[in-house]
Amino acid sequence: MKPLNAVYAGLPTTIFEEMSRRARETGAVNLGQGFPDDPGPADVREAAAKAVIEGWNQYPPMLGLPELRGAIAAHYARWQGLDLDPQREVMVTSGATEALAGALMALVEPGDEVVLFAPMYDAYLPLVRRAGGVPRVVTLAPPRFGLDEGALRDAISPRTKAALFCNPLNPTATIFSDADRALLARVCVENDLVAICDEVWEHVVFDGARHRPLIAEPGMRERTVKIGSAGKIFNLTGWKVGFVCAAPALLGALAKAHQFLTFTTPPNLQSAVAYGLAKEDAWFEAMRADLQRSRDRFCAGLADLGFAVIPAAGTYFVTVDLAGRDEDDVAFCRRLVTDHGVAAIPVSAFYPGGEVTNVVRFCFAKRDATLDAALARMRGV
Ligand code: GLN
């Protein structure tokens, strides 16, 4: 047989799947892959069940149900002050990962450079490469994980087509500052770049923070692809209902990729998400408050165990610094799952250049009993 595709041939199985598999096999408490152990809002699930029984179960429109596209535009107007045309600027995808893949397939020509920021979600690099793009990675330095203007500008050349930006950032649980967003926007405008923004954590922000989308920065309205995810908003990660918002010229190109990638997304889940996005503000505030309480409970427990906890401003995750231990993150996570029955994620999986090997990520979006059980198992680790 001829050689298989070189991008995929060299890749390991994604760390999230590997850790969840190990947790299932060993009965470990799974604080690795990011998903809540709460069943999610009952009314949203009931809306989906009702739509399965009473609603349309054939192909929905390719760009998404009109009711959901309208609900997305209304939701972003309410929460982020955006003015999006649901007919021409909003598309529904099968999860944010499809939206990202489609955006890269639609925008990148072989040889185009794409700026990425490390730490990065493990799908980004292979997706850029498979689209024929040449990754140019900018490393964000702890503890702020902010942008450095010089490093950003050094990564850009006349061949740069796009920058892929995740805010709030998984795995560091940091939110980019106003100055960082303004800088990135300026650099995109000056260099004629498209910003592909993974904003799936936009609603999961704590301590009174409010998400500010890059598309709202000066000059970005026509050059930003904003990606969101119902899975993260409603704590229903298996649903895989994503959204893409972009100006008509961009969205038209993205739709061409989407039509031959997944084409559509289950209509019943779409109508339940439309229902959910229209929920009152208090529901979203309570969801955040609940997760913030879990964060505080788990972080206090980690600190009691002697871990150096890195503050988490959003997402489902908190990271700890292993500095001072004579073990790297991969060895630590392997020992943690095998000897203590707790699965976590080594953050080196987010650094393709191997720059950081001393940070471990835990998912705290769990019931108190799950967090407490994990902490008890971690005693003496
Ligand atoms: N977004 C999830 C996380 O960061 C993982 C999703 C997946 O497993 N592909 O944990």
Side-chain angles (χ1 to χ4, degrees):
M1 203 168 24
K2 291 177 182 162
L4 303 181
N5 177 269
V7 172
Y8 296 135
L11 282 182
T13 297
T14 167
I15 188 73
F16 307 110
E17 174 66 20
E18 187 197 325
M19 278 301 174
S20 283
R21 182 182 52 74
R22 277 189 193 227
R24 279 192 297 269
E25 282 169 6
T26 61
V29 179
N30 189 357
L31 304 186
Q33 194 178 34
F35 62 90
D37 61 357
D38 177 274
D43 57 345
V44 178
R45 288 182 293 122
E46 271 156 21
K50 191 159 182 277
V52 168
I53 300 300
E54 295 169 18
W56 180 255
N57 283 282
Q58 310 306 334
Y59 299 124
M62 182 187 93
L63 296 179
L65 290 186
E67 67 183 280
L68 177 53
R69 296 165 70 206
I72 293 165
H75 187 83
Y76 284 140
R78 172 158 65 113
W79 283 94
Q80 295 175 20
L82 299 179
D83 179 15
L84 296 160
D85 176 353
Q87 313 281 345
R88 301 162 69 226
E89 298 188 308
V90 179
M91 177 169 78
V92 178
T93 57
S94 292
T97 304
E98 190 227 300
L100 272 169
L104 292 165
M105 288 169 80
L107 301 174
V108 173
E109 296 276 8
D112 284 348
E113 293 180 7
V114 178
V115 175
L116 301 166
F117 301 91
M120 73 183 84
Y121 186 54
D122 68 346
Y124 292 177
L125 199 64
L127 287 175
V128 167
R129 290 204 169 115
R130 195 65 188 93
V134 178
R136 297 292 305 268
V137 179
V138 176
T139 301
L140 306 174
R144 193 175 79 83
F145 297 101
L147 295 182
D148 173 77
E149 179 158 5
L152 176 58
R153 290 192 186 277
D154 284 351
I156 291 169
S157 83
R159 307 211 58 176
T160 311
K161 183 71 145 297
L164 204 174
F165 182 61
C166 177
N167 183 36
L169 182 61
N170 175 11
T172 58
T174 45
I175 296 174
F176 285 91
S177 68
D178 292 351
D180 279 346
R181 276 184 292 102
L183 168 65
L184 185 62
R186 244 181 3 256
V187 168
C188 286
V189 171
E190 283 168 21
N191 293 280
D192 192 18
L193 311 185
V194 174
I196 303 172
C197 296
D198 176 348
E199 299 187 353
V200 301
W201 301 104
E202 59 198 345
H203 262 298
V204 190
V205 291
F206 307 131
D207 308 309
R210 200 64 189 243
H211 180 70
R212 307 276 174 224
L214 194 70
I215 196 170
E217 292 297 313
M220 295 308 287
R221 184 66 176 76
E222 305 300 316
R223 57 174 68 256
T224 299
V225 175
K226 171 176 169 57
I227 297 174
S229 162
K232 306 298 194 286
I233 297 176
F234 298 107
N235 298 329
L236 295 165
T237 59
W239 277 23
K240 303 294 290 179
V241 178
F243 341 122
V244 187
C245 302
L250 278 176
L251 196 85
L254 268 50
K256 301 281 168 56
H258 166 72
Q259 69 182 349
F260 296 136
L261 203 47
T262 60
F263 180 50
T264 58
T265 299
N268 2 72
L269 299 182
Q270 289 194 47
S271 59
V273 170
Y275 161 83
L277 288 174
K279 279 166 87 73
E280 69 282 12
D281 290 9
W283 184 85
F284 297 89
E285 306 291 0
M287 177 271 287
R288 277 199 270 275
D290 229 38
L291 282 165
Q292 182 172 323
R293 204 188 48 78
S294 300
R295 175 199 67 175
D296 293 345
R297 183 184 188 95
F298 188 61
C299 289
L302 286 174
D304 280 349
L305 292 176
F307 283 100
V309 179
I310 302 172
T315 79
Y316 293 162
F317 310 115
V318 63
T319 50
V320 297
D321 186 346
L322 299 179
R325 295 173 179 252
D326 56 0
E327 211 176 18
D328 71 10
D329 59 343
V330 171
F332 176 87
C333 288
R334 198 170 293 143
R335 195 166 58 79
L336 192 65
V337 72
T338 310
D339 300 350
H340 295 264
V342 176
I345 300 289
V347 165
S348 55
F350 293 76
Y351 282 93
E355 303 91 320
V356 170
T357 57
N358 60 306
V359 179
V360 169
R361 191 193 83 172
F362 296 92
C363 173
F364 57 73
K366 305 288 180 187
R367 297 185 175 105
D368 288 355
T370 308
L371 297 176
D372 294 349
L375 290 166
R377 288 174 179 213
M378 285 168 69
R379 213 162 280 142
V381 69

